[in-house]
Amino acid sequence: MTEATLEKLKILAAAAKYDVSCSSSGTVRRNDGKGVGNTVGGVGICHSFAADGRCIALLKVMLTNYCMYDCAYCINRRSNDIPRATLSVSEVVDITMEFYRRNYIEGLFLSSGVVRNPDYTMERIARIAKDLRRIHRFNGYIHLKSIPGASRELVNEAGRYADRMSVNIEIPREQSLKYLAPEKDHKSVYEPMGFIRQGVLQCQEDKKKMRHVPRFVPGGQSTQMIVGASPDTDRDILLTSSALYSMPTMRRVYYSGYVSVNQYDSRLPALKQPPLVRENRLYQADWLMRFYQFKAEEIADESNPNLDLEVDPKLGWALRHPEAFPVDINRAPYEMILRVPGIGVKSAALIFSARRYRHLNSSHLSKIGVAMKRAKYFITCGELVAPSIADTSPEYVRRLLTARKSRGENPLQLSFDFS
């Protein structure tokens, strides 16, 4: 690797750090003995951690940080005076192969700014994946960022060689997107999402008729929304996520707390640090929608459009609906057991199974894995006599569960130096 290439790699790897939708799971690509590497397990590839706790296993880099758009929230916006660089197709391919041979990485996450037009950029991204698969026989993980506004043909070309693809929706409401990025619209984002979805579904149909069918984005697709850059509420974000999850190929929606990189732009909020707690609450709410049978409208209703930062969304829902508790562990349906704070999906399944053979009490629940310090206010079982939310009040239970020592000016916000 030359000094010039190394310098470009440093610039473009730093520019790619704001995209958090670099998931690395959902597919298995075994080596047939003729290629290089493999993607195993289908449960994610990670073997080291950065200082902030993130798993590192992918070469996360941009093809270029030049961009024709001037989005207010983006560090790579056209009007910013920052170091710019562009890697050639052959440079990205060579770097990926050399890093893999040295066991630095197990796959590639490739995104890009938009230069000239979306099709020009998408064609280069697709060519990188094609060269890795066809010329170098690379069987490792490849995650490609599809360019909004790119044509169906180029998206389909990239999908034949990628394990996962993603298109970032960025801002949940069209009105807010138009305000912060006047040159973009949601139509240009949803179109490539539709192309990917149609390609995956067509591949699944072809598999029913033919034995050997070329794979198309076997890991599905993901997207990302920026939290805190616009006045959109958590309800707006969760309603958009819920609609995206209704697509059969959408695997994950990622939430990225806005990092104030363009403080001079008056359209953006003056944040001293990213809203990390709000980001975490959105991930918890996302988990409730995906695994706990909650609807977005329940988690953040019209009277409470933003999530409570003091308590997790599940506890917040329980405190707002005291009429639903206490829940009789030995008689309640599975769906209601799932809604008890302190009971997870696995614990709820074990409770539902175990109560067929005996009457459960609090000691049984503790052995199953229920967090009794939290759950005892919302359930009845056996000898349990703890004051329930129905006997006291939601405010009293809230005070008991949120009691904590002061950790400074704002105990809910972690402090990171992003300078």
Side-chain angles (χ1 to χ4, degrees):
M1 186 186 300
T2 65
E3 288 293 331
T5 302
L6 180 60
E7 186 61 29
K8 289 193 286 187
L9 182 60
K10 288 179 180 178
I11 293 172
L12 294 173
K17 68 183 179 182
Y18 298 102
D19 196 328
V20 301
S21 62
C22 53
S23 51
S24 56
S25 62
T27 183
V28 175
R29 190 184 293 270
R30 293 185 176 86
N31 196 331
D32 58 3
K34 301 177 183 178
V36 177
N38 54 49
T39 304
V40 298
V43 294
I45 49 175
C46 51
H47 52 227
S48 62
F49 296 86
D52 61 355
R54 296 175 186 265
C55 292
I56 297 176
L58 305 178
L59 170 59
K60 186 180 180 183
V61 69
M62 295 185 73
L63 178 63
T64 178
N65 64 343
Y66 287 96
C67 192
M68 59 185 283
Y69 297 130
D70 199 32
C71 306
Y73 46 79
C74 183
I75 185 64
N76 301 311
R77 60 187 295 184
R78 181 179 65 236
S79 58
N80 269 359
D81 184 17
I82 60 173
R84 304 280 183 173
T86 301
L87 290 169
S88 67
V89 171
S90 59
E91 283 177 323
V92 176
V93 171
D94 291 343
I95 290 170
T96 303
M97 295 306 301
E98 289 301 318
F99 278 20
Y100 186 87
R101 292 189 180 102
R102 286 167 172 76
N103 200 31
Y104 295 160
I105 62 170
E106 295 184 61
L108 170 68
F109 173 86
L110 182 64
S111 62
S112 179
V114 183
V115 290
R116 296 193 186 180
N117 56 66
D119 280 352
Y120 175 81
T121 308
M122 193 69 218
E123 187 273 335
R124 299 180 73 194
I125 289 176
R127 190 144 53 94
I128 289 170
K130 183 177 181 179
D131 287 355
L132 283 170
R133 297 295 192 207
R134 289 286 186 86
I135 298 175
H136 295 273
R137 300 289 181 181
F138 180 66
N139 290 308
Y141 187 87
I142 297 179
H143 183 147
L144 299 180
K145 183 68 64 178
S146 181
I147 304 299
S151 66
R152 180 191 295 268
E153 292 76 18
L154 289 171
V155 173
N156 288 343
E157 175 76 5
R160 296 187 187 100
Y161 306 106
D163 291 296
R164 176 169 285 188
M165 294 184 71
S166 55
V167 193
N168 285 353
I169 196 169
E170 295 176 343
I171 304 296
R173 291 194 306 139
E174 178 90 19
Q175 180 181 356
S176 299
L177 181 64
K178 277 293 185 183
Y179 178 65
L180 296 176
E183 299 159 298
K184 289 185 176 181
D185 55 42
H186 277 170
K187 180 183 177 182
S188 64
V189 175
Y190 287 123
E191 273 190 347
M193 280 187 180
F195 299 154
I196 296 169
R197 180 176 66 253
Q198 291 165 16
V200 172
L201 296 178
Q202 183 62 50
C203 180
Q204 293 174 355
E205 287 297 318
D206 291 342
K207 284 182 178 179
K208 298 176 182 178
K209 304 173 184 176
M210 295 176 280
R211 175 175 293 181
H212 300 291
V213 177
R215 298 199 295 176
F216 187 92
V217 195
Q221 58 180 317
S222 60
T223 190
Q224 169 181 293
M225 280 187 280
I226 300 172
V227 179
S230 64
D232 301 315
T233 64
D234 293 336
R235 177 180 170 83
D236 296 326
I237 295 172
L238 293 175
L239 287 174
T240 302
S241 298
S242 179
L244 291 169
Y245 280 131
S246 66
M247 301 180 186
T249 59
M250 183 59 66
R251 295 291 178 264
R252 285 296 306 273
V253 176
Y254 290 85
Y255 309 95
S256 176
Y258 172 64
V259 180
S260 186
V261 292
N262 299 321
Q263 298 179 359
Y264 60 85
D265 198 315
S266 60
R267 292 172 293 176
L268 296 167
L271 298 179
K272 293 183 179 179
Q273 51 191 0
L276 300 178
V277 175
R278 184 183 177 192
E279 175 188 317
N280 183 53
R281 295 299 182 218
L282 284 168
Y283 274 115
Q284 292 174 329
D286 185 274
W287 204 260
L288 293 182
M289 291 192 298
R290 294 170 61 209
F291 301 107
Y292 286 79
Q293 304 179 14
F294 277 81
K295 295 181 180 179
E297 297 86 348
E298 297 177 289
I299 300 172
D301 53 34
E302 293 183 354
S303 59
N304 298 276
N306 288 306
L307 299 175
D308 192 331
L309 298 185
E310 277 197 342
V311 298
D312 66 80
K314 189 178 181 183
L315 177 57
W317 180 88
L319 293 173
R320 293 197 307 272
H321 296 84
E323 72 281 356
F325 300 97
V327 172
D328 187 344
I329 288 298
N330 290 288
R331 295 183 179 181
Y334 173 77
E335 294 76 16
M336 200 58 216
I337 295 175
L338 269 181
R339 297 191 170 223
V340 175
I343 298 182
V345 174
K346 187 179 293 186
S347 297
L350 289 173
I351 290 170
F352 196 73
S353 175
R355 72 184 189 181
R356 292 184 296 175
Y357 304 101
R358 68 178 307 165
H359 192 81
L360 300 179
N361 56 36
S362 58
S363 64
H364 297 140
L365 297 182
S366 297
K367 292 177 181 178
I368 285 174
V370 174
M372 290 301 295
K373 288 184 179 180
R374 173 172 297 205
K376 65 184 180 181
Y377 301 106
F378 302 93
I379 62 174
T380 58
C381 67
E383 82 299 346
L384 186 64
V385 293
S388 71
I389 190 172
D391 299 327
T392 56
S393 68
E395 292 75 17
Y396 174 73
V397 174
R398 181 190 179 94
R399 285 197 302 271
L400 290 176
L401 295 178
T402 58
R404 66 178 76 205
K405 295 181 180 178
S406 175
R407 301 181 198 171
E409 183 179 342
N410 186 355
L412 296 175
Q413 178 67 66
L414 298 175
S415 296
F416 289 102
D417 183 5
F418 286 87
S419 59

